[in-house]
Amino acid sequence: PQLNWELTPQRWGKSVFEFDGEFTRFQHGENNAGTRTWVYPRLSLPIVSRYGFVVPKLGWHVSNYRLQDANHSNIQRNLPILSVDGGLLFERSARPFGDTPYVQTIEPRAYFVYIPYQDQSNIPNFDTDVRQFNALSLFQENAFTSVDKINNAHALTLALTSRWIAQDTGAERLRVTLAGRIHFNRPRVALNSTVVNSQNKLLPDILVEARGQITPSISIESTVEFNQQNLIITRGDVALHYQPE
């Protein structure tokens, strides 16, 4: 069974308070069973204009595990999480595809996150995995998909996105993103005794994502991950999408 709770974001003056949590009971055999409860209150101060945004945020993640093991372990974890997300928006008019007028945007973005290290080797892994390396995960606090593991982090994500938007319809014809995350310390939290491979490097991997609208019903997207240490492409994929009008 699982119980989730989430508070609608509350505005306190210029700040925003958010709160969510979960209670789950797991039964994975006799030696991997118990309950997991966590809450995550956080306070942010969004500063938004038509030219960009800055969102500093401070949260506190509290987790409790009651395990049905030989010792009936009761494990508590408390972690502060600090992040600052910011970006700018520049745009200009252009006609790159014939006579149709377009708006081209240049959108630099930076995301800083700090989470101190805490030994989590005694916490079981009920439903957690490593996030796929993509433009979305680079702006996530946790490199893991669930809360059984919360990475230590002292990192800065830098990204640059350019979009081509048709002025007459507002349709996005082309989007290209270049991004990477710089780690100021090495990750120490492991998933099943394996440190997150994409972070355990002196130089960050570079991610390039592109999406183009060929026709109103056909689009194509591609992702390339480049390893700076070995100067090789570690991942590349292309997908074609068809959606009838």
Side-chain angles (χ1 to χ4, degrees):
Q2 183 179 72
L3 176 65
N4 297 281
W5 51 86
E6 182 176 358
L7 178 68
T8 303
Q10 303 292 310
R11 284 199 165 271
W12 295 349
K14 295 183 178 180
S15 62
V16 177
F17 176 75
E18 298 172 271
F19 181 92
D20 55 2
E22 176 189 284
F23 169 84
T24 309
R25 177 173 177 78
F26 294 92
Q27 184 70 50
H28 296 169
E30 296 182 358
N31 300 321
N32 193 13
T35 63
R36 180 185 71 196
T37 306
W38 61 268
V39 294
Y40 183 29
R42 52 206 182 273
L43 188 67
S44 61
L45 183 63
I47 303 171
V48 182
S49 75
R50 60 173 299 185
Y51 305 108
F53 67 93
V54 176
V55 184
K57 182 168 64 176
L58 177 63
W60 197 277
H61 200 287
V62 181
S63 310
N64 178 266
Y65 289 78
R66 293 181 179 271
L67 306 179
Q68 295 179 357
D69 55 13
N71 301 317
H72 295 281
S73 303
N74 186 358
I75 304 170
Q76 188 86 12
R77 180 185 59 196
N78 291 272
L79 280 173
I81 300 176
L82 171 67
S83 66
V84 181
D85 193 4
L88 295 171
L89 173 63
F90 304 96
E91 59 182 41
R92 70 183 182 101
S93 297
R95 297 176 183 267
F97 309 110
D99 295 330
T100 303
Y102 281 83
V103 173
Q104 182 195 10
T105 70
I106 299 293
E107 304 168 43
R109 184 179 176 185
Y111 176 75
F112 172 81
V113 60
Y114 175 76
I115 307 173
Y117 169 74
Q118 187 173 129
D119 183 11
Q120 301 167 49
S121 58
N122 61 338
I123 296 178
N125 181 11
F126 287 129
D127 62 354
T128 298
D129 204 342
V130 179
R131 290 187 188 275
Q132 184 180 9
F133 185 72
N134 55 38
L136 179 62
S137 66
L138 285 172
F139 293 93
Q140 300 285 333
E141 297 166 346
N142 193 11
F144 301 100
T145 59
S146 188
V147 300
D148 292 325
K149 304 296 179 184
I150 298 179
N151 58 243
N152 62 298
H154 186 192
L156 177 66
T157 295
L158 298 175
L160 183 65
T161 298
S162 182
R163 297 183 295 151
W164 297 87
I165 303 169
Q167 292 187 16
D168 53 352
T169 64
E172 185 178 280
R173 185 71 177 272
L174 178 65
R175 174 197 292 257
V176 179
T177 298
L178 175 68
R181 173 172 279 195
I182 303 169
H183 293 271
F184 301 108
N185 59 14
R186 287 185 176 273
R188 299 172 61 190
V189 178
L191 178 68
N192 300 328
S193 302
T194 302
V195 175
V196 181
N197 292 329
S198 62
Q199 297 182 1
N200 195 16
K201 299 171 183 175
L202 297 176
L203 294 173
D205 283 2
I206 299 298
L207 186 76
V208 181
E209 290 189 353
R211 184 182 188 278
Q213 195 73 35
I214 301 174
T215 71
S217 58
I218 299 176
S219 62
I220 187 171
E221 58 182 316
S222 177
T223 301
V224 174
E225 181 180 346
F226 180 72
N227 184 306
Q228 290 194 87
Q229 286 195 151
N230 301 318
L231 300 179
I232 59 172
I233 295 176
T234 56
R235 179 169 65 97
D237 56 69
V238 178
L240 186 67
H241 301 277
Y242 173 73
Q243 183 176 0
E245 297 183 50

